[in-house]
């Protein structure tokens, strides 16, 4: 094991040759003496030991500790022993723990912490969970390349034109550029080498060039080790979509600024997560906070003297119909009053679900424990009880995280030199586990006896049209899957799930042009041999893993027709005939991060094992259900998920009752937040907050008081949408949810217009003033429409980003997306389902792909977008903001038909422009995307400045 220790004199290499990882086997005591493990070639030694093998165990049990000859032999030996036990009798432990994590927990050290090392002995010089700790002053350098791209998108074979390391420019021929990169990196000797798209393109490109030219290129302090996977020269809008592997340097951190932890929270957040999880910063940067939480549980189990099971399969406990109905519900929601409201208070529970788990001790080993059958803590509405004698592992891991976030949330509001550090630490801790598919994932399903194939977004939106969350399916929605014997069967969908999406998803590419876009913690079935499937999350998958594919379809599609199901276009298949399904196991080609434009992700929960379903391309995947409900999570149980939701419902109802007793009306409430309107005799809001916190025993915070807030209607029913609103706090800070500014695929000029409209509305301090300013906001929209018609907006601000839902040959109609795919194909770039394509719409009615759209990477700058098609999109964004006040898309479009009263010299009396918020690089940089924390960045300009300022911004 090689470790690197940093101090003010630089980095120091420490090698520990004593590291020998082991794993454990438990079998019935009568069988242990007969197991002849030592005869296996890869085994060095077998020891008798006593260890706790389950969290609920009070006493250790006899196990065998197996010492391999080499750490690479662990997995192979584990598979052999598992097979010898019939995949049932032999339980294996500590098989799949990361070696760096093993070393850290065995020596009580952690990354990014202050350490003392002498004579082979480590000693931590600071507390592991310290709230305030110094960050090492690591030297950072940014590496960038200039690559020729004659096809419009760079490829592996394209020529290297130059490079830059910080402010050092490098040019010349390719060989001299590579040698100079090596020399500059050696000279600067940075501790952190940052890149943009380093894992996806820059590093594999450099590695390939160095190999082709015979140049020795060493970017780490030790000789580099690049993953031995062939690179593929397919890119999309400037980024390679095939990721050969993780490019981790030795003795130096390689941090891709596009990776989740670094992108969301900068180095301070990454260091925080790395310290807590004991995963190295380079590993943690490429993993998710959910994986970090799992690592923390493993650390806790190790310190408790409990082994970590390799494969866990704890099924849901049997329930009668009454208790199934009681437990099978989500959080509480309260329908909002559509329209503008002034003076509302918003109260939010801080990390409600984690706080519930900690307060009520909800964990797999504490729910329905044997020691508290008579005096356990009852769960509201359900027939469960919780342990009162021991604290569960989930609570012990979560409690310090909740306390940390509470502290960081407070400290990030305090001005000072560490404000940014606290903000980064708070950001990385706020992320919770979400497990879903992208909106364009195609899923075959059966509804009311009819069979369809449709985008999962359209299926889920039938049940959750204008809100996020999890709801029960009360109709006969069924998907196709398999039982425990891998026999095909229809599976009833118990619940559908819709959640806010991260900025990036994982793209899992499988042999045979199959591809899925999923959240990092989505479950996949991986073939392990002898009809055995192991469940892994997407971020645990590796190239080469075998995924089950239904090679003979579940049905034969004899005829098809496009139909309409509740406003969602689906593909209906008649004369569907079930057939015996034969599995083929195809390898994963690559896993990569990719930008995701849709604001939501979606999934199903199906009844009965195996808990998964088949997508339209035959891939058999796992389902979504919260972390506690993940049936193969190391320390999870579905009953814990039900208990958490039961407490959450009870808490929100009690919160509303307390607020009403103090003279407040509840205008809206959803899961962990309530919006309150004070009546004439209402008590001070702080008294209400203290009463709620004291009565319920969980921290609740005043998010703020709104000058005004607008709750928006559901687009299909007109009733209040649960999670679509925008409002202005008294400190002039916006909170935005569910509008175009929060989406990643909106054309930039629409973002700018909507932000400018919000700027006009933000000048209002009351609901009455808000209504008075609506016509001026509409004038801004009409003025933007005038700019569109006058060709006064740069073409790059019209770029649309769309996810591809099918292969090009599968498109029957020449949609804009199909036209863009044709252009890509003509230039040698094959775009596969699940990937994104960016283009400008030139003529929506054209039947020729070249006249219909222009792919963003092929823009020349003189294209003329389809003005009225974009005005229609603009009016749709206006409807989003102003629908409660009678402004529909159609009405706004009619108002844009005659713009004779609009001109550069005759625009709204207060012209609004956005400062330092958008950069002219073809993509939006709006701070409004973040919702809370977004403040006004516009200013008022006089009419003499107006023309040049606004035309430049638009």
């Amino acid at each position: 094991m090689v470790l690197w220790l940093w101090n003010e004199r630089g980095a120091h290499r420490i090698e520990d040759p004593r590291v020998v990882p082991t794993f454990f086997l438990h079998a019935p005591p009568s069988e242990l003496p007969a197991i002849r493990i030592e005869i296996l070639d890869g085994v060095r030694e077998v020891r008798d030991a006593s260890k706790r093998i389950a969290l609920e165990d009070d006493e250790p049990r006899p196990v065998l500790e197996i010492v391999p000859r080499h750490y690479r032999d662990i997995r192979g030996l584990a598979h052999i022993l598992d097979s010898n036990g019939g995949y049932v009798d032999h339980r294996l432990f500590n098989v799949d723990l990361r070696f760096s994590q093993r070393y850290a927990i065995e020596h009580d050290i952690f990354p990014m912490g202050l350490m003392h090392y002498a004579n082979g002995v480590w000693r931590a010089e600071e507390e592991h969970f310290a709230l305030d700790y110094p960050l090492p002053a690591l030297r950072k350098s940014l590496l960038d390349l200039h690559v020729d791209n004659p096809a419009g998108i760079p490829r592996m074979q394209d020529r290297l034109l130059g490079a830059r390391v910080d402010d050092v420019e490098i040019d010349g021929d390719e060989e001299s550029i590579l040698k100079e990169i090596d020399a500059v990196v050696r000279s600067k000797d940075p501790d952190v080498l940052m890149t943009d798209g380093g894992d996806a393109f820059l590093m594999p490109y450099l590695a390939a060039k160095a190999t082709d030219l015979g140049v020795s290129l060493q970017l780490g302090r030790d000789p580099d080790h690049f993953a031995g996977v062939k690179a593929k020269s397919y890119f999309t809008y400037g980024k390679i979509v095939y990721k050969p592997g993780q490019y981790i340097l030795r003795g130096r951190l390689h941090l891709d600024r596009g990776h989740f932890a670094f992108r969301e929270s900068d180095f301070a957040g990454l260091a925080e997560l790395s310290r807590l999880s004991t995963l190295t910063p380079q590993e943690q940067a490429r993993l998710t906070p959910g994986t970090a939480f799992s690592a923390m549980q493993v650390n806790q189990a190790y310190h408790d003297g409990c082994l970590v099971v390799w494969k866990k399969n704890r099924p849901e406990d049997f329930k009668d119909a009454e208790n199934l109905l009681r437990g099978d519900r989500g959080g509480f929601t309260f329908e909002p009053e559509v329209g503008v409201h002034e003076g509302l208070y918003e109260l939010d529970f801080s990390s409600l679900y984690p706080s519930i788990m900690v307060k009520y001790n909800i964990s797999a080993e504490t729910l329905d424990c044997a020691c508290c059958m008579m005096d356990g803590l009852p769960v509201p509405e359900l027939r469960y009880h919780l342990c009162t004698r021991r604290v569960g592992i989930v609570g012990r891991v979560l409690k310090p995280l909740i306390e940390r976030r509470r502290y960081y949330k407070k400290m990030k509001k305090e001005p000072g030199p560490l404000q940014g550090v606290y903000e980064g630490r708070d950001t990385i801790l706020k992320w919770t586990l979400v497990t879903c598919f992208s909106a364009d994932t195609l899923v075959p399903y059966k509804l009311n006896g009819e069979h369809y194939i449709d985008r999962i977004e359209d299926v889920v939106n039938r049940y959750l049209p204008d809100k996020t969350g999890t709801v029960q399916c009360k109709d006969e929605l069924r998907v196709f899957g398999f039982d425990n014997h891998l026999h095909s069967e229809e599976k009833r969908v118990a619940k559908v799930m819709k959640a806010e999406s991260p900025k990036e998803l994982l793209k899992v590419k499988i042999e045979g042009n199959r591809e899925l876009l999923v959240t990092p913690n989505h479950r996949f079935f991986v073939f392990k041999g002898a009809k055995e499937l192991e469940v892994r999350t997407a971020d645990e998958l590796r190239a080469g893993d075998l995924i089950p594919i239904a090679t003979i379809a579940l049905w034969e599609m004899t005829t098809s027709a496009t139909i309409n199901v509740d406003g969602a276009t689906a593909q209906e298949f008649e004369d569907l005939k079930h057939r015996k399904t034969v599995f083929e196991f195809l390898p994963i080609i690559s896993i990569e991060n990719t930008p995701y434009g849709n604001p939501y992700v979606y999934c199903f929960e199906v009844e009965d094992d195996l808990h998964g379903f088949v997508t339209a391309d035959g891939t058999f995947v796992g389902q979504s259900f919260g972390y506690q409900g993940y049936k193969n999570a190391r320390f999870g149980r579905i009953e814990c998920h039900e208990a958490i939701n039961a407490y959450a419902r009870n808490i929100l109802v009690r919160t509303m009752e307390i607020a009403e007793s103090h003279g407040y009306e509840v205008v809206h409430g959803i899961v962990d937040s309530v919006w309150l309107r004070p009546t004439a005799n209402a008590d001070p809001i702080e008294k209400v907050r203290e009463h709620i916190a004291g009565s319920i025993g969980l921290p609740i915070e005043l998010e703020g008081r709104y000058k005004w807030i607008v709750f928006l209607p559901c687009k299909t029913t007109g009733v209040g949408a649960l999670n679509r609103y925008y409002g202005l706090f008294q400190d002039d800070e916006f909170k935005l949810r569910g509008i175009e500014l929060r989406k990643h695929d909106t054309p930039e000029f629409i973002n700018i217009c909507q932000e400018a409209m919000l700027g006009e509305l933000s000048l209002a301090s009351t609901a009455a003033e808000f209504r008075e300013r609506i016509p001026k906001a509409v004038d801004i929209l009409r003025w933007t429409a005038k700019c569109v018609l006058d060709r006064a907006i740069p073409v790059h601000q019209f770029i649309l980003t769309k996810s591809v839902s099918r292969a090009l040959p599968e498109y029957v109609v020449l949609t804009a997306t199909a036209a863009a795919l044709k252009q890509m194909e003509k230039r040698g770039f094959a775009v596969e389902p699940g990937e994104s394509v960016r283009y400008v719409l030139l003529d929506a009615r054209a039947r020729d792909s070249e006249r219909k759209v222009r792919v963003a990477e092929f823009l020349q700058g003189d294209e003329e977008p389809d003005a009225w098609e974009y005005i229609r999109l603009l009016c749709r964004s206006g409807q989003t903001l102003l629908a409660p006040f009678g402004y529909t898309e159609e009405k706004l479009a009619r108002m844009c038909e005659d713009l004779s009263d609009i001109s550069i010299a005759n625009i709204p009396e207060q012209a609004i422009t956005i400062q330092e918020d958008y950069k002219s690089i073809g993509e939006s940089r709006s701070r409004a995307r973040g919702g809370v924390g977004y403040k006004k960045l516009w200013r008022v300009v006089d009419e003499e400045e107006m023309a040049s300022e606004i035309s430049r911004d638009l």
Side-chain angles (χ1 to χ4, degrees), residues 803-814:
S803 295
V804 179
S805 60
R806 64 197 75 182
L808 180 58
E810 298 174 9
Y811 281 89
V812 179
V813 179
L814 186 67

Side-chain angles (χ1 to χ4, degrees), residues 549-588:
I549 305 293
T551 56
I552 298 179
L554 292 174
W555 53 84
E556 287 183 349
M557 296 166 288
T558 57
T559 61
S560 66
T562 301
I563 63 168
N564 189 279
V565 182
D566 289 354
T569 301
Q571 193 75 15
E572 178 186 24
F573 296 99
E574 302 172 359
D575 301 328
L576 182 142
K577 301 175 182 177
H578 286 280
R579 300 183 60 179
K580 180 179 178 182
T581 299
V582 177
F583 268 126
E584 180 180 31
F585 297 96
L586 298 181
I588 290 177

Side-chain angles (χ1 to χ4, degrees), residues 334 337 341-348 652 655-669 673-679 682-689 692 700-702 704-706 709 711:
F334 186 92
E337 301 173 14
H341 306 267
E342 67 177 81
L344 298 192
Y345 292 97
E346 181 183 349
L347 294 177
D348 292 344
L652 198 62
T655 297
M656 295 165 65
E657 290 172 348
I658 293 171
E660 289 171 346
S661 72
H662 285 272
Y664 286 82
E665 298 174 351
V666 179
V667 179
H668 187 27
S673 303
V674 290
W675 286 260
L676 306 175
R677 179 193 294 125
T679 60
D683 294 326
I685 192 65
E686 183 60 22
K687 184 176 180 180
V688 181
R689 190 197 65 80
I692 294 170
I700 186 169
E701 299 175 356
L702 176 64
R705 189 176 191 183
Y706 291 92
I709 183 172
F711 293 113

Side-chain angles (χ1 to χ4, degrees), residues 118-374:
N119 302 319
V121 178
W122 292 92
R123 184 179 72 248
E125 293 290 299
E126 62 182 353
E127 204 273 317
H128 189 179
F129 292 98
L131 290 169
D132 287 303
Y133 53 87
L135 286 173
L138 302 180
R139 296 191 301 273
K140 302 181 180 70
S141 288
L142 177 64
L143 173 63
D144 196 10
L145 300 181
H146 180 203
V147 180
D148 189 23
N149 57 339
I153 303 173
R155 301 166 296 181
M156 282 289 181
Q157 64 265 34
D158 288 340
R159 191 161 59 93
L160 177 62
L161 300 178
R164 183 174 65 247
V165 182
D166 295 332
D167 56 351
V168 178
E169 299 283 349
I170 302 171
D171 55 20
D173 59 56
E174 290 184 310
E175 184 174 345
S176 62
I177 291 171
L178 292 174
K179 290 179 178 179
E180 187 64 16
I181 290 173
D182 184 89
V184 172
V185 171
R186 288 177 185 272
S187 173
K188 285 180 169 286
D189 193 27
D191 302 302
V192 180
L193 189 64
M194 297 185 296
T195 60
D196 291 316
D199 275 358
F201 174 62
L202 189 147
M203 288 294 189
Y205 178 82
L206 285 178
K209 284 294 180 185
T211 300
D212 291 344
L213 298 172
V215 175
S216 176
L217 179 64
Q218 182 176 318
L219 298 179
R221 290 188 170 113
D222 268 1
D224 296 328
H225 173 72
F226 287 129
V229 181
K230 288 185 178 180
K232 182 180 178 181
S233 58
Y234 166 66
F235 296 80
T236 172
Y237 51 93
K239 292 183 180 180
I240 186 169
V241 300
Y242 173 65
K243 182 180 179 182
Q246 296 180 350
Y247 286 78
I248 293 177
L249 303 180
R250 296 176 176 177
R252 178 173 289 133
L253 301 181
H254 168 218
L255 300 181
D256 187 328
R257 295 195 298 187
H259 284 146
F260 176 84
F262 194 82
R263 182 190 69 239
E264 295 292 331
S265 60
D266 207 3
F267 189 73
L270 175 60
E272 169 80 1
L273 211 54
S274 183
R275 282 173 63 104
L276 297 177
S277 68
T278 68
L279 303 177
T280 66
Q282 290 192 96
E283 289 178 311
Q284 187 60 75
R286 291 159 172 83
L287 299 172
T288 65
T291 305
F293 182 75
S294 295
M296 293 176 220
Q297 288 185 307
V298 168
N299 298 344
Q300 185 66 57
Y302 179 90
H303 289 299
D304 291 345
C306 184
L307 300 178
V308 180
V309 67
W310 180 32
K311 298 177 181 179
K312 174 181 172 290
N313 187 12
R314 181 171 188 166
E316 181 177 357
D317 292 342
F318 179 81
K319 301 179 181 68
D320 57 34
E322 180 183 359
N323 283 290
L324 182 63
L325 290 173
R326 287 179 180 272
D328 200 18
R329 293 187 289 168
F332 180 86
T333 56
F334 186 92
E335 184 180 300
E337 301 173 14
V338 174
V340 62
H341 306 267
E342 67 177 81
L344 298 192
Y345 292 97
E346 181 183 349
L347 294 177
D348 292 344
F349 283 99
S350 178
S351 305
L352 177 62
Y353 277 30
S355 297
I356 288 173
M357 286 184 262
V358 171
K359 176 177 173 61
Y360 298 105
N361 194 25
I362 301 177
S363 191
E365 74 276 23
T366 62
L367 190 140
D368 280 351
C369 62
C371 59
C372 301
M373 296 292 291
M374 304 303 295

